[in-house]
Amino acid sequence: YGHCLFLNIPRLVEPVSTGMLSLDGKAPDFPTLSMLCAEARKLGGTTVWCHNGAGMEAPVAIALGHVDALNISDGSGVDYEWYYRFLNCGFRLPISTGTDWWEYDHNRAFVQVVGKFSYESWIAGLRAGRTFVSNGPLLEFRVNGRGPGATLRAAGPLRVVARALSRVPFERLEIVHDGTVVAEQAAAGQREARIEREIMVESSGWMAARVAGSTVTRRGYPVFGHTGPVYLTASRPLARRSEAAAAVLAQLDRSVEFIRKNYRFASEADQALALGRFAEGREFYAKLAEG
C-alpha cells in the first residue's frame, strides 16, 4: 500500500507492516495503510507519506484526509510528479523529506515555527506547510510578501521573490506554477541565485521555488531544494485539475486490479473493506476529473 511516518503518537500504531513485509511474511495484506493513518491521526499524530508519493494507496489516503505532508526524495532520487498531481487536484499538502531508515543523504525538512521553538511548534509549522526541503541549498520564497503555506488572492500581477544559497553547487533557481517553470535564474558561481519578478496568474493554483542542476551529492543523488507552495485563489478554477485527477484515476484502477489478483485477506469482509477505501478515493477523483 505504501510507506508512512507517524509523528507525535502516544503509542505504537499496529501492525507496523502487513503482507510480505510482516515479521514472518505471511500476514494478511490488511488493514490498509490509510486505515492506519486514520488511527494515527485520531491519536493526535501527524502523518507523512514517504518516497515521493509512492505506493498504491497514497491517492486514497490523501483524498480521505489522512495525510498531513508528503516526503520528497527520502531514500530515492527526487521526483515531483505525484506531488504536483496532488497539488493540481487542489490538495493543500505540505512538502517534507527525510533520510529514510539509514543515511541515504543529507535530506532535511526546514520548518518556520511561530513563537518559541519546541517539538510542538515544529509539528504545527509542518502541518501548516511553512516548509522547504533540501539536501544542501537554503531557500527563501515570498509571493506578495507571503511565504510557503499561505493562501492569497491572485488579483493582478504577483510579486515573486526567491533566493537560494548553497554550500554545494547548483545550476538554477526556478519558480514553478502548477508544475510548470515560469521563471528561472542561473546561479552565480553555482552557489547563489535570486529572482524578483512580477508574474500574472489567471486561475487558482499554487506557486513554489526550487533549485535544479546536475550536481550530485557524495551519496550520488542530485542536489535539490523545494519550498512549500503558496496557494493562489482566482475566479477561474484549477487549470490542470481534470488532467491530474484523470492520471490518478488510471493509477487507482491498476492498483485495484493488482490487489484483487495478488493480495491476501483473512476474510471476504476484510477484502471488501480494503477495496471500499479505494472505491471512496476513486469517487473523489472521478468528480474532479469531470471538471
Side-chain angles (χ1 to χ4, degrees):
Y1 296 112
H3 177 196
C4 268
L5 301 175
F6 297 157
L7 310 179
N8 203 30
I9 49 175
R11 62 170 174 80
L12 192 63
V13 176
E14 297 185 283
V16 174
S17 298
T18 61
M20 69 173 64
L21 296 179
S22 60
L23 289 177
D24 62 3
K26 299 178 181 179
D29 296 287
F30 189 83
T32 75
L33 192 51
S34 72
M35 296 168 73
L36 298 175
C37 288
E39 182 179 349
R41 296 188 88 231
K42 285 181 181 177
L43 296 174
T46 295
T47 59
V48 183
W49 201 277
C50 301
H51 307 316
N52 299 324
M56 293 186 294
E57 206 180 1
V60 174
I62 291 170
L64 298 181
H66 301 321
V67 178
D68 296 303
L70 190 142
N71 262 10
I72 296 294
S73 187
D74 49 352
S76 61
V78 66
D79 184 351
Y80 302 123
E81 181 180 31
W82 273 104
Y83 185 55
Y84 288 177
R85 280 179 182 168
F86 293 135
L87 294 178
N88 286 339
C89 281
F91 295 108
R92 300 192 175 189
L93 188 63
I95 195 170
S96 181
T97 191
T99 58
D100 204 32
W101 62 286
W102 66 65
E103 187 200 354
Y104 267 104
D105 222 320
H106 292 133
N107 305 337
R108 295 291 183 269
F110 294 83
V111 177
Q112 183 184 35
V113 303
V114 174
K116 185 178 180 181
F117 177 81
S118 66
Y119 183 70
E120 290 73 20
S121 65
W122 190 93
I123 288 288
L126 173 67
R127 292 173 66 104
R130 298 189 299 269
T131 66
F132 75 87
V133 298
S134 173
N135 62 358
L138 302 178
L139 289 166
E140 297 177 4
F141 178 61
R142 293 287 185 273
V143 180
N144 286 0
R146 305 288 300 280
T151 300
L152 58 89
R153 180 72 179 171
L158 300 175
R159 180 171 176 75
V160 178
V161 179
R163 184 187 180 214
L165 180 67
S166 182
R167 62 179 176 82
V168 291
F170 72 97
E171 275 70 50
R172 301 181 309 281
L173 174 62
E174 300 174 335
I175 304 299
V176 186
H177 175 226
D178 293 353
T180 298
V181 175
V182 293
E184 61 181 86
Q185 177 63 51
Q190 293 190 309
R191 301 287 179 169
E192 183 174 7
R194 181 181 177 87
I195 293 175
E196 291 190 35
R197 198 76 52 87
E198 286 193 346
I199 298 175
M200 287 293 300
V201 171
E202 297 181 349
S203 60
S204 297
W206 57 274
M207 195 174 289
R210 71 185 188 192
V211 300
S214 58
T215 303
V216 296
T217 66
R218 67 183 183 87
R219 298 295 256 174
Y221 290 106
V223 170
F224 79 95
H226 201 296
T227 71
V230 170
Y231 302 100
L232 310 171
T233 62
S235 56
R236 295 183 184 179
L238 290 156
R240 298 188 176 180
R241 184 170 60 187
S242 296
E243 172 190 344
V248 175
L249 279 174
Q251 177 61 45
L252 286 177
D253 288 342
R254 290 191 292 269
S255 297
V256 168
E257 181 179 0
F258 183 86
I259 291 168
R260 289 187 183 277
K261 289 182 177 180
N262 298 284
Y263 274 24
R264 298 173 298 179
F265 297 91
S267 66
E268 291 184 0
D270 284 353
Q271 184 187 50
L273 281 173
L275 293 176
R277 308 287 288 188
F278 281 81
E280 286 186 70
R282 194 189 190 287
E283 182 179 1
F284 181 92
Y285 292 103
K287 291 180 180 177
L288 295 182
E290 291 173 357

